[in-house]
Amino acid sequence: MGTFEDLTPDNGAIKTLQELIPMTTFKDESLEALFTLMTSARNGKKLGFIGDMEDVGTKLTNRCNPTYVSASIEANEKEWELGEWEIPLKLCYDDIMGTVAEYTLKTGTDKGDMTSIEYMNVVYRPALEKAMINMMWRLIWFGDKDAKNITGGSGQITDGVNTNLFTVADGFWKRLFAIITDNESQKTAIAANSQTTAALQKLLESGVATGIVDSMLMEADPRISTLDGAAIFMTKSLADALTQDVKKTYSTIMPWEVIFDGVQMAQYNGVPIYSVSIWDRMIQKYQNDKTKLNIPHRAVYTSPKNLLVGAPGELISDLDIFFNREKRQTQIYSTGDLGTLIAEDELVQVAC
């Protein structure tokens, strides 16, 4: 696959960029379907959580002179740790000279100003906006301030991928894996993840996928089921295996319903199940040693209200697009702050 610069003019046959046919793209799941955005977050700002009062009510021991005791209330405090991200891009009109977009350039002295030409509006800006959404998925779920490449770094990031794409802040998967490291009872093991090749990592045996989900539900803190919006969010690989398993084991169809743009939801024993295909695509792209994938099958049972994303304002900042007359460049800039928190560590069950 080449780049836009490989699209050369064909004797002027293409009169407008509207004639270009978009390549097949995946519809990304709605960003905020899986978490709760808190737009008042500030770096170092603390969040306080209040829980239940300790048990009260004991046998009466003295009718006329009862003994009064104190009852404490559970509380917890966490602190936002936001990281800064930026997108600094530049465009020179020479970048599209000799391509199908050359005819969209202005003429004369204004030739270098690409801020409002058709190429910017029809091709570049829509592609950038999609890339920014993907950036948020990457940072929110796969962010790791200590990210390292596989070879030479003893990390999980695919060799050749820039680790700075992940080091803005720690994402949910890093936080979830830390929780189950400290408390193994919150982990439901998926044996296929530890296999040595991608072929062996596939979930093909009957009963495996349903067994994973059944174990998650049985091993999870019972309070999770009472949370508003509680569901199991899983990779498409696990969701597909579950669908096939239900069909083979119970001879019934597990219908999936599209509820957001690209988000699929089904029910398993009354529990909502969400298939999150962008996780699969990012694992294949960013956590792939070319022999096997890093934990290709993942799931978390919790509520989006327990998964918090913090930013001082809007999650995705505006684009500043301007023409630098000194450098004769069109420049694009955006920046923002981002962080994640899990409100109550006990209210997650992770399959991996």
Side-chain angles (χ1 to χ4, degrees):
M1 184 176 294
T3 63
F4 185 86
E5 288 71 24
D6 295 323
L7 298 178
T8 56
D10 184 15
N11 298 323
I14 297 178
K15 302 299 183 183
T16 171
L17 293 181
Q18 303 282 359
E19 297 178 27
L20 291 176
I21 302 173
M23 293 181 180
T24 300
T25 57
F26 295 95
K27 291 183 177 180
D28 289 340
E29 290 79 353
S30 175
L31 267 174
E32 296 180 40
L34 278 68
F35 60 78
T36 298
L37 177 63
M38 304 190 71
T39 56
S40 61
R42 294 289 188 278
N43 197 41
K45 183 177 180 180
K46 290 180 172 55
L47 285 180
F49 303 93
I50 190 168
D52 297 328
M53 180 178 284
E54 66 177 311
D55 294 337
V56 297
T58 57
K59 180 181 177 180
L60 188 148
T61 56
N62 192 332
R63 290 187 178 90
C64 297
N65 187 21
T67 300
Y68 288 88
V69 296
S70 299
S72 61
I73 299 175
E74 293 178 335
N76 188 24
E77 184 178 78
K78 293 196 173 183
E79 182 176 320
W80 284 112
E81 188 176 355
L82 306 183
E84 294 182 85
W85 56 266
E86 69 169 355
I87 301 173
L89 300 172
K90 63 180 181 178
L91 280 172
C92 176
Y93 74 89
D94 189 55
D95 296 337
I96 60 172
M97 291 295 291
T99 75
V100 293
E102 180 181 346
Y103 76 91
T104 69
L105 291 170
K106 297 178 181 179
T107 59
T109 305
D110 294 331
K111 192 172 185 177
D113 184 358
M114 302 170 67
T115 57
S116 60
I117 63 174
E118 187 182 10
Y119 171 71
M120 174 64 71
N121 296 329
V122 175
V123 176
Y124 197 90
R125 181 162 184 158
L128 175 55
E129 290 172 349
K130 177 177 173 56
M132 292 177 73
I133 293 174
N134 288 340
M135 172 191 74
M136 287 300 168
W137 275 103
R138 186 183 70 245
L139 294 177
I140 289 169
W141 286 97
F142 294 87
D144 183 353
K145 292 187 296 183
D146 301 315
K148 297 180 180 64
N149 292 114
I150 296 170
T151 301
S154 301
Q156 299 295 345
I157 304 302
T158 304
D159 290 344
V161 173
N162 185 355
T163 56
N164 285 336
L165 292 170
F166 303 88
T167 54
V168 170
D170 288 336
F172 284 131
W173 284 121
K174 183 174 181 179
R175 295 190 184 281
L176 290 168
F177 293 153
I179 289 173
I180 61 177
T181 298
D182 293 337
N183 191 344
E184 292 187 2
S185 66
Q186 290 178 252
K187 175 183 177 179
T188 301
I190 301 179
N193 282 330
S194 61
Q195 295 293 332
T196 56
T197 67
L200 293 175
Q201 286 179 321
K202 293 181 179 179
L203 296 172
L204 300 175
E205 295 183 17
S206 297
V208 172
T210 51
I212 291 169
V213 177
D214 288 341
S215 295
M216 286 190 76
L217 296 173
M218 288 187 293
E219 295 165 359
D221 190 311
R223 292 176 295 170
I224 296 177
S225 63
T226 67
L227 298 176
D228 184 23
I232 299 179
F233 304 95
M234 62 177 59
T235 55
K236 184 177 183 295
S237 64
L238 181 54
D240 288 347
L242 180 64
T243 301
Q244 293 300 316
D245 215 2
V246 168
K247 183 178 180 180
K248 291 178 182 178
T249 305
Y250 303 109
S251 299
T252 59
I253 301 298
M254 187 175 176
W256 290 88
E257 176 187 1
V258 178
I259 57 171
F260 298 104
D261 187 17
V263 174
Q264 289 187 314
M265 189 272 284
Q267 295 272 339
Y268 180 81
N269 289 342
V271 179
I273 306 288
Y274 287 80
S275 175
V276 190
S277 63
I278 195 169
W279 289 349
D280 301 70
R281 304 198 301 272
M282 290 193 168
I283 292 169
Q284 291 170 6
K285 182 176 182 180
Y286 301 128
Q287 298 191 354
N288 184 349
D289 69 2
K290 310 306 180 184
T291 300
K292 64 182 185 303
L293 302 175
N294 178 47
I295 315 179
H297 315 297
R298 310 179 184 192
V300 56
Y301 179 33
T302 190
S303 165
K305 295 185 182 301
N306 198 37
L307 301 174
L308 308 180
V309 173
E314 295 297 323
L315 186 59
I316 299 180
S317 305
D318 291 336
L319 290 169
D320 185 11
I321 303 176
F322 59 96
F323 179 56
N324 186 318
R325 298 186 181 280
E326 180 180 354
K327 295 186 177 182
R328 311 309 295 174
Q329 289 179 349
T330 297
Q331 297 180 337
I332 304 169
Y333 191 81
S334 184
T335 188
D337 300 88
L338 178 72
T340 65
L341 280 179
I342 295 175
E344 295 185 70
D345 292 356
E346 299 81 5
L347 300 185
V348 298
Q349 186 70 25
V350 181
C352 61

